[in-house]
Amino acid sequence: MRRFFAALVMLALSTGAGLSLAGPSDVDSPEARAYFETGAREYEKGNYANAVRAFEQAYALTTRPGLLFSIAQAYRKQYGNDGKPQNLRQAVDYYRRYLATDTTGKRRGEADAAIKDIEAILSRLPPEIQSTPTHEEAPSTQISITTQVEDATISIDGGPPRALEAIDVTPGKHKVLVQAPGYFPEEREVPAKQGQMTALDVPLREMPAFVSITGPAGASVTVDGLPKGALPLQSPLQIEAGVRTLSVSLNGFNTFTTELDLGRGKSEDVKAALDRTRQRITSFVLIGAAATCVAGGGVMAFFAGAAGDNAKEINDRRLAGTISEAELDEYLESRETQTALRNGATVALNVAAGMGALAFLLYYFDEPRLAPPRKKDDKKPKGPDPSRLREIAVVPAVGPGVVGLSFGARF
């Protein structure tokens, strides 16, 4: 019969008023917030006695009415753990204090309903249960650590890592180490007072990701558009974890851009393979062609001079006397050869100058341009690259006394 009645009580507790708690906005100091978060965590784990202690500590620091409601909820749930009517009476007391303190609270309806449910349960308790004396155990000394990282662990006085929870300790000072994957560990010295719970919030600092980059010497490195130095780097870059866009650029090369999903404390190796731009390749081709034209023009100028010397020698003999008809033909041929070669040398040198000027412009203005980021596994996009030379045009230019070439390029 008693087991059947206990089952009915548990059913009433689970189907009665909602078991919501006060929110973080109900506390207004870091210390009180640490106790509130401890209470909420212990409540979720079913450690309602610890939740009561933490909520009561938070209320002592901030006196927010919502915490009275949370304390009542924890007492009510604790009755389901130990079956002590005193917990129900404490719950009713705190519900009433909440109603008296917060006259416009949004949980007043829940508190009224909970009081009615509990009073109905208390009225049905057998007399022998109601008259059973309760033995209050001496409260334990506890330390509770809260942090923003859910999977963090704590070690007390060099002990093994443990999940975040209220831990029984001896009174006195204790060294607490808080750590989590991807975060820098934090150590605190926490004084534990006899019979009290000491709650402390320990924020953890995120570890950066470490990125090693290999690529051409002198190339500039940017992360999310911010400069980070030039290659080779003395040490891996320390970059805030998350999705980041990394670019490596160097004059005359297409910019290497990749998107990295960096984890806290993780290392990443990036090989920046930069290929030369068409514009830079074209400038090199033009420089080579200009050098060839200069060499060709020099050769033609040399032979033009030789032909001129031969014509001058024949002309000198003509002035000194007579020359044969064959020598006259040789003279005329030498003069024609000299003129043709001289014109050819002039054209070659003019072409070389034009090519050299265009090569200089292409080389000098071949600055890196940022490309849209792509993920590491993505292939290079097909189609024309806007950062490269698209076409080059060479047009003959002929005028009175002028022979040359006109160059044009489109990017």
Side-chain angles (χ1 to χ4, degrees):
M1 181 67 179
R2 181 172 296 182
R3 290 183 179 178
F4 177 71
F5 177 76
L8 290 178
V9 170
M10 290 302 299
L11 179 62
L13 287 173
S14 61
T15 59
L19 296 177
S20 59
L21 298 175
S25 60
D26 290 308
V27 291
D28 53 5
S29 73
E31 188 177 1
R33 186 179 297 273
Y35 280 105
F36 170 79
E37 291 179 354
T38 293
R41 183 186 66 210
E42 296 295 317
Y43 187 96
E44 289 295 326
K45 291 183 177 182
N47 301 325
Y48 303 113
N50 287 340
V52 167
R53 297 186 71 185
F55 287 144
E56 287 180 337
Q57 291 273 104
Y59 183 73
L61 292 169
T62 190
T63 64
R64 288 297 185 93
L67 289 168
L68 295 172
F69 182 86
S70 296
I71 296 170
Q73 295 284 69
Y75 267 120
R76 181 184 178 199
K77 292 289 287 184
Q78 179 60 18
Y79 175 75
N81 282 355
D82 58 22
K84 296 179 179 179
Q86 179 63 20
N87 289 318
L88 292 180
R89 298 189 186 99
Q90 289 280 22
V92 170
D93 179 62
Y94 274 102
Y95 281 131
R96 285 174 176 164
R97 289 175 61 182
Y98 167 72
L99 292 173
T101 305
D102 193 353
T103 57
T104 59
K106 59 183 179 181
R107 299 179 179 86
R108 290 180 61 84
E110 295 178 62
D112 279 327
I115 290 173
K116 292 177 182 178
D117 289 342
I118 293 173
E119 287 180 339
I121 292 171
L122 289 173
S123 67
R124 294 195 297 268
L125 286 176
E128 63 271 20
I129 295 179
Q130 296 195 33
S131 60
T132 301
T134 57
H135 300 282
E136 296 293 337
E137 297 179 358
S140 59
T141 304
Q142 295 179 313
I143 288 178
S144 175
I145 301 298
T146 60
T147 185
Q148 82 276 20
V149 185
E150 293 184 0
D151 58 347
T153 60
I154 57 175
S155 300
I156 297 182
D157 298 328
R162 308 175 58 162
L164 296 178
E165 58 186 1
I167 301 173
D168 292 343
V169 296
T170 58
K173 292 183 178 180
H174 296 272
K175 286 188 177 180
V176 177
L177 179 66
V178 186
Q179 49 193 348
Y183 292 83
F184 291 105
E186 295 285 343
E187 189 174 73
R188 297 287 190 275
E189 190 175 75
V190 182
K193 297 181 180 180
Q194 175 70 45
Q196 293 187 16
M197 173 188 286
T198 302
L200 181 66
D201 184 65
V202 181
L204 295 179
R205 295 180 298 118
E206 292 186 5
M207 287 183 176
F210 301 90
V211 180
S212 300
I213 307 170
T214 56
S220 299
V221 179
T222 62
V223 177
D224 292 340
L226 300 177
K228 295 296 182 180
L231 298 180
L233 300 174
Q234 299 300 318
S235 59
L237 285 180
Q238 297 186 22
I239 304 174
E240 184 180 356
V243 178
R244 300 285 176 255
T245 299
L246 182 144
S247 298
V248 180
S249 58
L250 183 64
N251 283 358
F253 293 85
N254 294 308
T255 299
F256 172 87
T257 302
T258 186
E259 189 177 85
L260 303 175
D261 190 359
L262 303 175
R264 302 183 190 94
K266 303 297 183 181
S267 297
E268 187 90 17
D269 293 325
V270 176
K271 293 183 179 179
L274 277 64
D275 54 335
R276 291 193 179 276
T277 63
R278 291 182 182 177
Q279 183 173 330
R280 180 57 57 92
I281 293 173
T282 301
S283 70
F284 289 153
V285 171
L286 289 175
I287 290 173
T292 301
C293 288
V294 169
V299 171
M300 285 188 287
F302 174 79
F303 285 109
D309 291 340
N310 186 50
K312 183 176 180 303
E313 181 182 348
I314 296 174
N315 187 53
D316 290 342
R317 290 201 306 270
R318 180 183 64 82
L319 294 176
T322 59
I323 60 173
S324 65
E325 186 176 349
E327 290 177 322
L328 179 60
D329 292 339
E330 181 181 355
Y331 169 79
L332 294 175
E333 183 179 353
S334 296
R335 295 295 295 179
E336 290 177 359
T337 301
Q338 179 187 21
T339 301
L341 290 174
R342 183 181 296 170
N343 290 339
T346 301
V347 171
L349 294 177
N350 285 336
V351 171
M355 286 184 176
L358 181 58
F360 172 79
L361 293 175
L362 293 177
Y363 187 97
Y364 184 80
F365 290 103
D366 189 14
E367 297 180 353
R369 298 172 178 85
L370 292 179
R374 64 176 186 273
K375 296 183 179 180
K376 292 185 294 183
D377 297 334
D378 289 347
K379 296 181 179 180
K380 291 184 179 181
K382 297 181 179 180
D385 187 340
S387 66
R388 296 180 173 183
L389 178 67
R390 293 188 179 179
E391 64 180 36
I392 183 169
V394 181
V395 181
V398 180
V402 177
V403 178
L405 296 174
S406 174
F407 297 90
R410 186 166 67 92
F411 301 92

